[in-house]
Amino acid sequence: MTVETTPILLDIRQDVALLTAALMDINSVSGNEAALADAVESALRTIPGLQLLRDGDAIMARTELGRPERVILAGHLDTVPLPTVEGSLGTVPSTWESGVPGTGNLYGRGATDMKGGVAVQLALAATMFDGGAEPGKDVTFVFYDHEEVEAVKSGLGRLVRNHGHLLEGDFAILLEPTDGTVEGGCNGTSRFEATTVGEAAHSARAWMGSNAIHAAAPILGRLAAYEPRTVNVDGLDYRESLNAVKINGGTAGNVIPDRCVVEINYRFAPDKTPDQAEAHVRELLEGFDVVRTDAAAGARPGLNHPAAASFVAAVGAEPKPKYGWTDVARFSELGVPAVNFGPGDPLLAHKDNEHVDADAIRECLRALRSWLAD
């Protein structure tokens, strides 16, 4: 028996900060984006002048005005899991610190990463044809699923594979949180497993075995002593990091472990490829069994492109590097220069006190609306 659910109606013409709260109130943890995708699609279908395509829980909406320049505005619909800490403010539904909707800080999961940016996209789409007006550029809006999980599940990656020609453009803006400053390019990221092997034995007779967890100590020592580099790429300084992020070993409290796996994450500057990054990690951990399990290339800033330069000038703030990996890298692989620009402090993303200021969302909308009109 099929259970029918009532579709969620989104008012994408309301104040953009209130729209952000409405988006946050729809639980959209990775893998659970369908309800939000349905609501976004239904809202976009009310706007004349947009051509829509849906693929799974990813949606594209395009203008076809014949403009000489096409801009892509992209954002992901999913969030990381909800916090489990009692009293956390990073919850669903959202809450207003002031108690007055639309005023001050908005708390909840996705506040910064990245429901504010998605709300800005929807608000732009809703109003770009108001009063007979038309944007000065053709625009492709992209809303996609599964950004916060492994790259093979990415909704944007699926759109690239299935509808890559519809993602062609002159410039792309990913509305990730940047505190309202343009952040160029992004670091690459790669994950590795370093494995040590021992011999199992009863812990009461430990001398009969070989402890694989103890054997992993030099791996942790090298990582702890490692000094990450800062690399200048096209005028922006990208800080790298190389860390153990998980360790797994042992089978029981009375057994000497015969295997231990240290999981490692390397965030590398966009001056190097994933293969070059791997070579660097292997050199540091020479003598150990190291396997790369995942990798995504970074993206150079691309701020010398005319469209990027005009956008930076319109925003008016000094551009910064993006330290984390974002989907600007996918656009870079497509030959589309891309930057990050959105409301909210990126340092608050995924935290239990994740929040965004209402006026920051409004200012982001104002800046993009003004630039698109030129």
Side-chain angles (χ1 to χ4, degrees):
M1 178 178 177
T2 301
V3 178
E4 293 187 4
T5 58
T6 303
I8 300 170
L9 300 180
L10 279 179
D11 176 9
I12 60 176
R13 287 186 168 274
Q14 65 182 308
D15 172 76
V16 70
L18 297 178
L19 175 57
T20 300
L23 294 171
M24 292 167 58
D25 291 347
I26 305 172
N27 189 324
S28 56
V29 172
S30 302
N32 192 38
E33 301 98 327
L36 180 54
D38 290 345
V40 167
E41 180 186 10
S42 295
L44 290 172
R45 289 200 181 279
T46 67
I47 305 170
L50 289 179
Q51 296 186 2
L52 261 65
L53 177 145
R54 180 160 175 173
D55 185 319
D57 289 327
I59 301 151
M60 281 195 286
R62 295 164 47 93
T63 65
E64 294 290 353
L65 301 173
R67 300 288 191 258
E69 185 176 42
R70 176 171 292 278
V71 174
I72 301 169
L73 302 179
H76 62 85
L77 298 176
D78 61 323
T79 71
V80 295
L82 304 183
T84 57
V85 178
E86 185 176 352
S88 169
L89 294 171
T91 58
V92 173
S94 59
T95 57
W96 290 97
E97 183 181 34
S98 66
V100 181
T103 302
N105 287 329
L106 172 63
Y107 280 82
R109 180 58 80 225
T112 55
D113 192 11
M114 54 173 294
K115 294 301 191 285
V118 172
V120 168
Q121 290 177 264
L122 290 170
L124 286 168
T127 58
M128 64 170 44
F129 296 111
D130 281 2
E134 290 184 346
K137 307 168 180 63
D138 266 312
V139 185
T140 300
F141 296 97
V142 185
F143 307 87
Y144 58 98
D145 57 290
H146 285 90
E147 190 271 352
E148 298 287 7
V149 291
E150 54 268 40
V152 294
K153 294 183 178 179
S154 167
L156 183 57
R158 188 176 64 252
L159 288 175
V160 170
R161 293 190 298 272
N162 297 343
H163 312 283
H165 65 288
L166 295 179
L167 289 169
E168 295 175 357
D170 299 286
F171 181 52
I173 300 171
L174 191 65
L175 279 92
E176 290 275 3
T178 65
D179 244 353
T181 298
V182 174
E183 291 186 345
C186 69
N187 276 343
T189 181
S190 54
R191 293 180 177 85
F192 303 87
E193 291 183 349
T195 302
T196 55
V197 178
E199 183 179 353
H202 196 294
S203 60
R205 295 176 289 278
W207 59 88
M208 298 300 295
S210 175
N211 195 311
I213 292 179
H214 293 179
I219 297 174
L220 300 178
R222 294 184 198 182
L223 292 171
Y226 179 80
E227 295 186 4
R229 296 176 292 187
T230 297
V231 183
N232 186 280
V233 182
D234 299 340
L236 296 181
D237 289 333
Y238 291 86
R239 294 177 62 181
E240 297 190 331
S241 63
L242 178 60
N243 292 281
V245 293
K246 190 185 295 185
I247 187 165
N248 182 42
T251 58
N254 59 352
V255 178
I256 297 300
D258 61 358
R259 189 172 186 271
C260 180
V261 179
V262 180
E263 294 187 27
I264 299 162
N265 183 212
Y266 181 27
R267 301 286 176 145
F268 54 91
D271 66 322
K272 57 180 68 69
T273 67
D275 287 346
Q276 290 170 328
E278 179 178 352
H280 181 66
V281 173
R282 288 188 178 281
E283 181 180 6
L284 177 70
L285 298 179
E286 185 178 1
F288 291 96
D289 177 19
V290 176
V291 176
R292 187 174 83 184
T293 59
D294 189 27
R300 301 182 77 92
L303 298 181
N304 55 351
H305 188 278
S310 73
F311 181 62
V312 169
V315 172
E318 186 72 20
K320 298 178 180 179
K322 171 62 78 175
Y323 295 131
W325 187 92
T326 73
D327 278 309
V328 297
R330 294 189 188 275
F331 289 109
S332 180
E333 288 180 354
L334 292 172
V336 181
V339 300
N340 305 277
F341 175 75
D345 183 349
L347 298 180
L348 294 173
H350 304 181
K351 293 181 70 66
D352 287 348
N353 67 337
E354 185 176 359
H355 62 273
V356 64
D357 182 76
D359 286 337
I361 307 171
R362 296 180 183 116
E363 176 56 26
C364 178
L365 174 61
R366 184 208 61 77
L368 277 167
R369 182 175 282 155
S370 175
W371 180 68
L372 286 172
D374 291 342

